[in-house]
Amino acid sequence: MEHTKCLIIGSGPAGYTAAIYASRANLSPIEYCGMQPGGQLTQTTEVENFPGYPQGVDGNQMMMDLREQAERFGTDIRDGEIVKVDFSKTPYICTAEDGTEIEADTVIIATGASAKYLGLDDEQKYNGQGVSACATCDGFFYRKKNVAVVGGGDTACEDALYLAGLATKVYLIVRKPFLRASHVMQQRVKECGNIEILFEHVPVGLFGENGVEGAHLIKRKGEPDEEQVDIAIDGFFLAIGHKPNTDIFREWLDTDETGYLKKVDNTPRTKLPGIFVAGDCADPVYRQAISAAGSGCQAAIEAERYLLNR
């Protein structure tokens, strides 16, 4: 069994930043990159809103830069997942998918969250070519274009309003005959001149030669008056929620009803001493690279202080 002062579970901006800070604090961290090394940004073609990249940067390149920086300071970065944890006593025991067991004095959980998709083949086909699950990240590329947002909750309405400030036309595609969003958000969307709500519409496909050019929808699916509707769009945004990657921790740590890990006193600390959280696995609100990176820094500093005080 291996032993480390600090084990970081997950990569992405939160995990890699935690690794940079933990390494510079001489904690000699081990980091497991998880099922998606680099996190959600590896599915984004260009990142323009992260400080330090005035011309923008490819999401994969940015994650490679962060990984290289963490390795420069001595982080032991490993591909693969942590599939089991035992937080019943310290040092905590975490098991990797290859069977490796690691004793860790501190653990930083930065496993992120995964956007929910509809399950259409075309979502993968056009990923990075018009399909996105982050309006804030990618909306800038659709200025003066037509886009669609799928969803009927507060997040979908917020995304539609955000995109309405950039795009010429925004379709809000809602499966039900009503919005689930709060009354205030519903009013804002309905009063916005360039948002058209398509109630009782279900996306069934996308089309386009060199990227998304339109979407196939079914109106009133399963009803006698069912009909197919095609809309011309350049961007297709999913806003049907995220699933935090926290299943293996739920036995040990508190989560909200969706599964996001709960922080103590708005810090990276959890209810268990020496276990800290960073990034989207504990952030249902902001979900941005820069806020994830900041929380990774905080988690590493907390881990260092915990070890010093102990």
Side-chain angles (χ1 to χ4, degrees):
M1 184 179 296
E2 295 184 64
H3 180 271
T4 182
K5 293 179 182 177
C6 180
L7 175 66
I8 300 168
I9 305 175
S11 49
Y16 286 143
T17 303
I20 291 168
Y21 275 79
S23 296
R24 284 172 52 83
N26 292 323
L27 301 188
S28 302
I30 295 172
E31 178 177 16
Y32 274 84
C33 287
M35 60 183 174
Q36 188 178 11
Q40 295 180 76
L41 282 190
T42 58
Q43 296 183 329
T44 300
T45 52
E46 190 168 7
V47 180
E48 291 194 324
N49 56 1
F50 196 93
Y53 294 97
Q55 304 304 317
V57 61
D58 175 80
N60 279 285
Q61 183 61 52
M62 179 180 163
M63 291 303 98
M64 289 170 61
D65 291 344
L66 290 179
R67 177 173 177 144
E68 182 180 339
Q69 190 172 359
E71 289 178 323
R72 173 193 165 200
F73 293 115
T75 303
D76 180 356
I77 299 180
R78 305 177 182 182
D79 292 327
E81 290 185 69
I82 295 294
V83 295
K84 180 182 177 183
V85 297
D86 181 354
F87 291 164
S88 61
K89 61 182 185 302
T90 58
Y92 301 113
I93 299 176
C94 302
T95 306
E97 59 187 343
D98 63 359
T100 301
E101 289 189 331
I102 298 174
E103 275 188 337
D105 296 325
T106 63
V107 177
I108 296 175
I109 301 170
T111 47
S114 301
K116 294 179 181 178
Y117 286 81
L118 297 171
L120 305 176
D121 291 339
D122 289 337
E123 289 173 318
Q124 295 299 317
K125 177 181 178 181
Y126 294 105
N127 187 30
Q129 301 181 65
V131 172
S132 172
C134 183
T136 310
C137 307
D138 300 327
F140 184 77
F141 301 111
Y142 298 92
R143 289 174 297 171
K144 301 187 184 307
K145 296 183 178 181
N146 296 339
V147 299
V149 176
V150 181
D154 278 337
T155 299
C157 289
E158 288 174 4
D159 286 358
L161 288 165
Y162 174 79
L163 291 167
L166 300 167
T168 301
K169 173 87 172 187
V170 178
Y171 294 99
L172 182 58
I173 303 172
V174 185
R175 177 170 54 90
K176 297 181 179 180
F178 58 87
L179 292 171
R180 294 181 292 103
S182 62
H183 179 72
V184 171
M185 293 303 298
Q186 290 187 42
Q187 285 300 113
R188 289 177 183 171
V189 166
K190 291 175 181 177
E191 292 170 1
C192 187
N194 60 337
I195 296 178
E196 180 179 347
I197 306 175
L198 301 178
F199 288 114
E200 296 185 272
H201 283 67
V202 178
V204 292
L206 302 168
F207 60 89
E209 292 295 323
N210 299 309
V212 172
E213 295 176 5
H216 300 301
L217 313 176
I218 298 294
K219 181 180 181 181
R220 291 180 57 78
K221 187 175 182 179
E223 300 297 326
D225 56 349
E226 170 184 306
E227 63 176 301
Q228 179 170 322
V229 177
D230 288 351
I231 56 174
I233 55 172
D234 304 286
F236 185 77
F237 290 85
L238 283 304
I240 54 177
H242 285 72
K243 181 186 183 301
N245 304 318
T246 58
D247 288 349
I248 65 171
F249 309 112
R250 295 191 189 190
E251 177 184 352
W252 310 99
L253 301 173
D254 293 334
T255 67
D256 67 9
E257 63 277 4
T258 307
Y260 288 95
L261 296 170
K262 288 187 176 181
K263 303 176 182 179
V264 173
D265 297 331
N266 203 31
T267 71
R269 297 192 299 272
T270 67
K271 70 176 185 180
L272 295 180
I275 297 181
F276 309 95
V277 293
D280 286 12
C281 65
D283 178 13
V285 178
Y286 299 106
R287 297 197 302 267
Q288 296 298 300
I290 189 63
S291 56
S295 68
C297 161
Q298 293 173 341
I301 290 174
E302 288 284 353
E304 179 191 10
R305 289 175 178 172
Y306 168 80
L307 291 172
L308 286 172
N309 292 332
R310 192 187 63 168

